[in-house]
Amino acid sequence: MDLLLQIIRQPVDPDYAAATARGVAPSRRHWLLGVIAVVVGVMFAVAAVQTNRAAPALQSERSDLIDRVQAAESQQDALRARATELTEENAALRAAALGGDATAQQLERGIAALGPVTGTVAVTGPGVVVVVDDAAEQATADGSGDRVLDLDLQILANGLWRAGAEAVAINGHRLSSLTAIRSAGDAITVDYRSLNRPYRVEAIGDPRTLPAGLAESAAGAWWHDLEQNRGMRYELGESRALTLPADPGLALRWAEVPG
């Protein structure tokens, strides 16, 4: 009687029921994983399609922006050349208007003496050339390398002035008291003109004293640290003949004889 009651109450063997239960659970998990995989695949496919559709538009916008920047730089170059021509014409008109008396000659000599210092005329002479650049990628542990900042070029230019430089230019751009060396995004600009690496800093001055004066200055110590500890490029050499152009943004507007 007890056996019959047990068969009626529990017709399935307990071990068979446990094995059946273990077989059902993995099937459900596999089904859920399959659904998740399908959903993830659909998401990636949609993202890839959207990316491919947006790529031509992004490339077109990038190309258009590059063309606009290049056109603006070309226009700026043309304006600079025109400004140089006008400066030369102004100088000729000034000389004609002043005449040839003693006062006019004195004024002309003063203007001629201040021209190279202020940057309104091109200058030629011996000096030094400093080439600086970002650190190589392998110079740092994370592989990023250190980059030249606008502050680094400002310190270098000021150090050259303090060391006795008479005229300084960066990548062919003459520096004056009104020159701005700043960052614009990832680029460094001089008078709002982007510079390309490496940065070539030219300074006219006595090549016998200028290198030593720079090395002993705070700028020399600054760049020595960047070279030794940051892996940045810093090369200093002498030159017998440098020609630095005038700053087209400067022009004589008013002058008078003292007294």
Side-chain angles (χ1 to χ4, degrees):
M1 184 63 68
D2 295 336
L3 179 61
L4 292 175
L5 292 175
Q6 183 178 1
I7 293 174
I8 294 173
R9 293 174 180 175
Q10 191 175 7
V12 180
D13 185 77
D15 295 334
Y16 182 82
T20 303
R22 287 194 300 269
V24 171
S27 298
R28 291 178 178 176
R29 287 196 297 269
H30 291 163
W31 181 79
L32 291 175
L33 290 175
V35 171
I36 294 173
V38 171
V39 171
V40 172
V42 171
M43 293 175 62
F44 276 111
V46 172
V49 170
Q50 292 179 347
T51 301
N52 291 334
R53 289 180 178 178
L58 294 176
Q59 182 64 29
S60 177
E61 292 178 0
R62 183 176 183 275
S63 300
D64 181 64
L65 182 59
I66 292 175
D67 293 339
R68 290 170 58 187
V69 170
Q70 292 177 346
E73 290 182 347
S74 299
Q75 183 180 9
Q76 187 180 34
D77 291 339
L79 292 175
R80 287 178 179 271
R82 180 55 179 164
T84 301
E85 294 176 0
L86 293 175
T87 300
E88 295 175 353
E89 292 180 7
N90 288 338
L93 293 174
R94 182 186 68 235
L98 290 175
D101 57 8
T103 302
Q105 293 178 0
Q106 180 184 358
L107 185 58
E108 283 289 349
R109 286 195 296 269
I111 295 174
L114 292 175
V117 178
T118 58
T120 57
V121 297
V123 291
T124 302
V128 298
V129 177
V130 184
V131 179
V132 298
D133 199 358
D134 300 346
E137 292 183 356
Q138 63 272 18
T140 56
D142 59 359
S144 60
D146 283 328
R147 303 181 59 184
V148 178
L149 305 177
D150 54 348
L151 175 63
D152 301 325
L153 292 182
Q154 292 171 9
I155 291 175
L156 179 57
N158 290 332
L160 289 168
W161 289 118
R162 294 181 63 87
E166 301 174 7
V168 180
I170 300 179
N171 285 19
H173 299 275
R174 181 77 172 275
L175 305 186
S176 69
S177 58
L178 302 179
T179 301
I181 303 175
R182 297 177 180 175
S183 291
D186 294 334
I188 299 178
T189 64
V190 172
D191 285 337
Y192 309 102
R193 175 77 180 198
S194 298
L195 304 180
N196 295 322
R197 300 173 38 228
Y199 307 103
R200 179 183 174 92
V201 184
E202 300 171 309
I204 290 180
D206 191 344
R208 297 170 299 179
T209 60
L210 197 54
L214 177 62
E216 296 172 358
S217 66
W222 179 277
W223 270 99
H224 179 74
D225 176 73
L226 294 179
E227 180 187 21
Q228 296 297 321
N229 299 323
R230 302 287 185 174
M232 298 171 70
R233 179 183 176 186
Y234 175 70
E235 299 176 358
L236 175 63
E238 299 180 5
S239 178
R240 295 183 178 180
L242 292 174
T243 299
L244 307 186
D247 185 352
L250 295 178
L252 180 64
R253 300 180 182 274
W254 179 81
E256 68 175 357
V257 180

